[in-house]
Amino acid sequence: ANSPDSHPSISDNEREYIRATLPNSSDLSSVMPTPWGQILTSKPMWALLIAHLGQNWGYTVLFTMLPNFLSEILLYDISMDGLTSSLIYLLMCVLTVIFSWITDYCIDRRLLSLTIVRKIWNSLAHWGAAMSLLLLTFTASSNTATLALLTIALALNSGVYLGFMANHIDLSPNFAGLLMGITNSVSNISSFLGPVVSGFIITEDTNRKEWMIAFYISAAIYFFGNLVFVLFGSADVQPWNDPINEEEKNTKITKYNTKSDYVTSI
């Protein structure tokens, strides 16, 4: 179905709940003109895109290269690699549930604005990961500490689901799918650039210094991407979310101005 109203089996209570939680969405979203100009010149949209670029670089580098780091630098065997990786993602799953509950608690009780909540979780994910990667400098003598920091860097990444990932629907419930399509497509550039650049840097898999350079770059990109999101991001519904009403409003303003000019001339 194109909307809850047109779904054949949805209950009235569920339909009303969805309507209440998405007050700025419209059943006409499928036929609305896409405000490309306003989307592409929107400051919060660009902040969202840059955060997504930073996320894909840092996360992809860690995700794709962690097994090799564990085996070549920490000298863990393959079976240990699999166990460690699975535990990290289990922890991410648990933290996502916990973070979601905290988010709902803060929003329901109006302790924090939605914009602040989005920025807090994204900062925890990106700046927390960046800090963990930088601290690897001091854990060369301890495999346990190194593994703990890498686990923290990846586990905190679950904060992005309450951060920039949810921000698409904040900015525009009517065009959230389009926004996700744009940011996800563009950010895939950093998804392949991150591992490629890291691969050029790490010429010897057993050279910890080269690994650290790759991690430093990821930390810097994490930091910059979230800095832009913190400074320019927003969770407010944007005016271009409803171009039909916006067009009607502009028409009324034009008519009013025309009428005012006519009265003044008389």
Side-chain angles (χ1 to χ4, degrees), residues 95-96 99 118 121-122 124-125 155-164:
L95 286 179
T96 300
F99 292 167
R118 294 284 182 248
W121 288 124
N122 215 70
L124 180 68
L156 289 180
N157 193 79
S158 55
V160 300
Y161 299 112
L162 290 312
F164 83 88

Side-chain angles (χ1 to χ4, degrees), residues 22-196:
L22 293 176
N24 295 290
S25 64
S26 171
D27 294 337
L28 299 175
S29 60
S30 60
V31 296
M32 284 181 175
T34 303
W36 287 108
Q38 291 173 294
I39 290 175
L40 296 178
T41 56
S42 170
K43 188 183 298 183
M45 173 59 182
W46 277 98
L48 173 57
L49 174 59
I50 292 172
H52 206 154
L53 283 164
Q55 161 69 14
N56 279 27
W57 181 293
Y59 181 76
T60 306
V61 167
L62 289 174
F63 175 75
T64 59
M65 306 189 75
L66 179 61
N68 204 28
F69 182 83
L70 293 178
S71 62
E72 298 296 337
I73 300 299
L74 302 188
L75 303 179
Y76 289 157
D77 58 35
I78 295 177
S79 60
M80 185 63 180
D81 287 354
L83 177 61
T84 302
S85 298
S86 62
L87 289 177
I88 289 174
Y89 293 107
L90 176 61
L91 180 58
M92 287 179 63
C93 181
V94 173
L95 286 179
T96 300
V97 175
I98 295 173
F99 292 167
S100 298
W101 181 85
I102 296 173
T103 298
D104 287 342
Y105 182 89
C106 292
I107 293 175
D108 290 344
R109 287 160 179 75
R110 299 183 179 180
L111 301 177
L112 297 168
S113 69
L114 185 57
T115 296
I116 296 299
V117 168
R118 294 284 182 248
K119 293 179 179 181
I120 287 175
W121 288 124
N122 215 70
S123 297
L124 180 68
H126 285 186
W127 286 352
M131 181 61 68
S132 297
L133 293 176
L134 292 176
L135 289 176
L136 289 174
T137 304
F138 308 104
T139 62
S141 60
S142 174
N143 283 2
T144 302
T146 298
L147 181 59
L149 286 174
L150 289 172
T151 301
I152 292 171
L154 278 169
L156 289 180
N157 193 79
S158 55
V160 300
Y161 299 112
L162 290 312
F164 83 88
M165 291 289 281
N167 193 226
H168 298 82
I169 200 168
D170 295 332
L171 298 182
S172 178
N174 286 326
F175 298 105
L178 174 64
L179 300 189
M180 175 59 82
I182 293 172
T183 64
N184 199 41
S185 297
V186 176
S187 63
N188 276 324
I189 296 173
S190 59
S191 293
F192 71 80
L193 277 182
V196 168

Side-chain angles (χ1 to χ4, degrees), residues 208-244:
R208 187 184 177 99
K209 290 183 179 179
E210 292 179 350
W211 279 94
M212 289 309 305
I213 294 173
F215 288 152
Y216 291 155
I217 293 174
S218 295
I221 292 175
Y222 263 141
F223 178 83
F224 175 75
N226 187 64
L227 179 63
V228 173
F229 186 71
V230 168
L231 293 177
F232 303 110
S234 173
D236 296 333
V237 176
Q238 299 302 293
W240 41 265
N241 174 63
D242 196 348
I244 293 178

